[in-house]
């Protein structure tokens, strides 16, 4: 069940709790990207129906202009040429949105975000797994298909918060609580959803952001964890969902 990123973003935006965790996001237009670049030092341009990190473009403000980055390709342009540089990497058939860039925390020199895997095998949503997705060196997306790898979330958060257990637990609880609200909020409008991959970004300060919620999440990264407990639960719940629904 593929639902566009903007629809999900707007549905979450209506919720008073979720609103303050959502980075500013608009449809990409010649005007919107410039307004965003005036407010933030970087922006991400994403296909509305993209998955696996495909088609994501990053624009970053530099001293003498802007760096437009698509995969491993980089182009340095003036503000007048940013839009045409973005357009050169787009698929004409796709709609795109522009989102505020986040200064994600790093783990061993690479940025990371967090994937919470939620499932609804029966009548209630459950968290089947949580992990950190660590980007490949010098990459700006963390997806498996772009070289990202899975790490134990406990280990990565302990590293970020210098073994401050209270901070680690607070962050885990905050994400679990937000994930439940996201699942219920989206499920109200889309009753057929039974799985969600919720991606959180976390800044060095510990500030949490909701990057997006995926209705067709992959679970390959859970394969990479030494402990296969979460992978087992995900697969078991997948079987239940297929059998019962």
């Amino acid at each position: 069940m593929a639902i566009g990123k903007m629809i999900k973003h707007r549905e979450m935006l209506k919720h008073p709790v979720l609103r303050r965790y959502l980075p500013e996001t608009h449809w990409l237009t010649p005007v919107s990207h410039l307004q965003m670049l005036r407010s933030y030092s970087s922006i991400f341009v994403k296909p509305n129906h993209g998955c696996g990190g495909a088609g994501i473009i990053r624009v970053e403000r530099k001293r003498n202009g802007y760096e437009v980055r698509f995969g491993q390709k980089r182009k340095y342009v003036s503000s007048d040429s940013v839009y045409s540089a973005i357009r050169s990497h787009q698929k004409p058939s796709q709609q795109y949105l522009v989102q505020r860039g986040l200064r994600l925390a790093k783990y061993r020199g690479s940025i990371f975000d967090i994937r919470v895997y939620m499932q609804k095998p029966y009548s209630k949503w459950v968290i089947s797994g949580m992990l950190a997705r660590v980007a490949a060196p010098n990459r700006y997306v963390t997806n498996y298909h772009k070289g990202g790898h899975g790490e134990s979330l406990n280990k990565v958060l302990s590293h970020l918060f210098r073994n401050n257990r209270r901070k680690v637990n607070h962050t885990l609880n905050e994400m679990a609580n937000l994930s439940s609200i996201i699942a219920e909020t989206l499920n109200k409008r889309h009753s057929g959803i039974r799985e969600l991959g919720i991606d959180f970004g976390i800044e060095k300060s510990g500030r949490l952001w909701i990057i997006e919620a995926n209705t067709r999440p992959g679970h390959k990264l859970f394969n990479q964890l030494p402990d296969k407990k979460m992978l087992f639960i995900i697969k078991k719940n997948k079987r239940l969902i297929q059998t019962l629904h």
Side-chain angles (χ1 to χ4, degrees):
M1 188 175 189
I3 305 160
K5 288 180 172 54
M6 187 59 96
I7 285 177
K8 290 177 286 190
H9 176 81
R10 286 182 173 166
E11 285 168 3
M12 289 190 282
L13 206 53
K14 286 176 187 161
H15 196 286
V17 173
L18 302 180
R19 193 176 297 136
R20 67 188 187 90
Y21 290 93
L22 291 161
E24 190 178 343
T25 305
H26 302 283
W27 287 116
L28 175 70
T29 68
V31 175
S32 67
H33 82 285
L34 277 178
Q35 286 173 337
M36 293 280 272
L37 281 171
R38 282 191 203 109
S39 304
Y40 309 111
S41 59
S42 70
I43 57 171
F44 282 85
V45 175
K46 303 176 175 184
N48 187 38
H49 282 286
C51 63
I56 295 178
I57 301 157
R58 186 182 75 180
V59 183
E60 205 167 27
R61 194 190 300 148
K62 298 290 182 187
R63 196 172 291 166
N64 300 318
Y66 295 91
E67 179 194 79
V68 179
R69 199 167 160 198
F70 181 73
Q72 301 290 59
K73 295 178 191 156
R74 298 163 194 257
K75 194 173 186 182
Y76 295 90
V77 296
S78 67
S79 60
D80 298 343
S81 310
V82 171
Y83 192 65
S84 57
I86 291 169
R87 298 283 293 169
S88 70
H89 295 302
Q90 289 180 326
K91 286 184 179 165
S93 58
Q94 274 271 30
Q95 275 186 302
Y96 286 78
L97 39 100
V98 56
Q99 190 172 67
R100 168 193 179 161
L102 303 176
R103 294 199 172 278
L104 294 178
K106 291 185 175 182
Y107 178 70
R108 294 184 174 162
S110 292
I111 60 155
F112 74 89
D113 61 19
I114 294 148
R115 163 60 59 95
V116 177
Y117 203 111
M118 298 205 69
Q119 292 173 302
K120 191 184 179 185
Y122 299 111
S123 59
K124 280 194 161 46
W125 283 95
V126 293
I127 293 175
S128 301
M130 297 171 101
L131 53 62
R133 303 190 307 174
V134 183
N138 301 315
R139 290 289 181 106
Y140 56 88
V141 288
T142 59
N143 305 69
Y144 171 80
H145 296 287
K146 300 291 177 190
H149 71 276
E151 286 279 0
S152 152
L153 183 54
N154 235 321
K155 188 169 80 173
V156 172
L157 290 180
S158 295
H159 177 266
L160 176 65
F161 294 127
R162 302 190 179 172
N163 295 316
N164 182 328
R165 201 64 237 166
R166 194 184 57 80
K167 277 190 176 179
V168 171
N169 289 338
H170 173 78
T171 303
L172 291 171
N173 290 335
E174 192 177 6
M175 282 189 290
N177 182 38
L178 289 169
S179 296
S180 295
I181 297 171
I182 291 167
E184 296 295 341
T185 301
L186 295 178
N187 216 176
K188 271 181 197 151
R189 298 296 300 269
H190 313 281
S191 57
I193 301 173
R194 292 269 159 191
E195 290 195 301
L196 276 174
I198 300 168
D199 296 333
F200 289 98
I202 187 164
E203 294 182 307
K204 279 182 196 142
S205 62
R207 164 81 156 100
L208 213 53
W209 294 93
I210 299 163
I211 298 174
E212 62 179 300
N214 303 277
T215 45
R216 291 191 296 184
H219 61 274
K220 284 186 174 147
L221 288 175
F222 288 92
N223 252 324
Q224 300 176 344
L225 299 179
D227 184 346
K228 299 288 184 263
K229 203 187 306 173
M230 289 188 278
L231 183 68
F232 175 78
I233 294 167
I234 290 168
K235 286 183 167 179
K236 187 183 88 170
N237 284 336
K238 268 187 182 292
R239 284 194 296 273
L240 279 169
I241 288 166
Q242 282 158 3
T243 310
L244 297 171
H245 306 285

